[in-house]
Amino acid sequence: MKIKRKLLPDKYLLIIYIALLIAGLVAIYGAQTVHEPGTEYFSNHLNLLLSMFVFSIIILIIPDFFDLIDRNVPLLLILTILLLIYVLIFGITVTGSFAKRWIYIPPGFTIQPSEIAKITITIYIASVLAKKGEKLNNIKKGLVPPLIILILVSILIAIEPDSGTSLLFAMVGFSMFFYGGIPLRSLIISWIFLLAIFIIFVLNVPYMKSRVDVYLSPEQQSEEDTYQMKRATLAFNYGGVTGIPDEEIRDVSTHLPAAITDFIFASIAQRYGLIGNLLILILFISFTARGFIISSRIKENIFLKNLAFGITIFISFQAFLNMMVATLIIPTTGLPLPFISYGRNALVINMIMFTILLKITQRREL
């Protein structure tokens, strides 16, 4: 189906996008200054951001972009699954991680298949739900095929191991199933079954069980195991409402593990205070609301309607889970804060996903 296009995407979504990118630069600069002085995290993030911004503009001007990706969904899906299998066999670890989540590409690049899967699985589910129509009411024909793919991808990611991302995929997948029209009763039964399997898996994998134990009974754990939680708590306490002034920030004990990555929300609290945290939270709430509005306004093209919803919840779920971890509401998941945390693979994929959502808003009726 040809899509009538307009030149500029949704202005409100574009403002949120630019604001998130700027917030990420400010957060990484502040975290590097305090926790990783002498490193090049900020300059690396800035250079990649600028490069991807140019790439985003290219995506926005490509004609028939969605027809192209919809026609190639099977190829994208097969390549993603092959990459997820390849990384389990030939993958590498990086500094600060014991999991095999990266594939090395000479002369010095790494790719993370689980990040790539965020785009391809969202596209796959959006496409398959759009094409099934009335078959969605039939469990065998509607739910089972995409559910098998979702389970396979989630298992491959969990084996790396990466339980947080695996759980994220399951949450997004089932949300898209429900939004796409699969009956709730079918989803509830499947969700209970998969949740039971996930709990059994977590309780039998040492590093996952350790995270749960630290969260449920920190007083019974070693100082080393609870160090990150305690430092995150101190970061929020130090920051107060407005944060610690530059001239005073080094007068307190500031070390916070993963301050640039998984716990950057706590780092923001320390340097920019409650005000900084609220600004980040408002940006993501605004993005979520705008994404839902955009998806709800699409009436004719169900593929794009499902895709807009999937991208919105993938970014939103990850953001809210990260903030919940940093504030000790849930156990550590290892998920970065989209656009804010340092991470080259994550930044590339998140910017591509956001750009696709912007491109959807180039439809005339939006």
Side-chain angles (χ1 to χ4, degrees), residues 167 170-171 174 188-202:
L167 179 61
M171 293 171 62
F174 274 85
I188 291 176
I189 296 173
S190 303
W191 180 251
I192 292 174
F193 174 71
L194 292 178
L195 183 61
I197 294 177
F198 183 79
I199 292 174
I200 294 172
F201 184 73
V202 167

Side-chain angles (χ1 to χ4, degrees), residues 87-105:
V87 78
L88 295 179
I89 303 171
F90 303 106
I92 63 171
T93 61
V94 298
T95 303
S97 174
F98 63 87
K100 295 170 65 174
R101 301 175 187 169
W102 293 265
I103 296 174
Y104 177 76
I105 300 178

Side-chain angles (χ1 to χ4, degrees), residues 244-258:
I244 304 175
D246 288 349
E247 61 272 16
E248 299 177 13
I249 200 164
R250 296 194 181 281
D251 294 337
V252 298
S253 178
T254 58
H255 181 253
L256 172 66

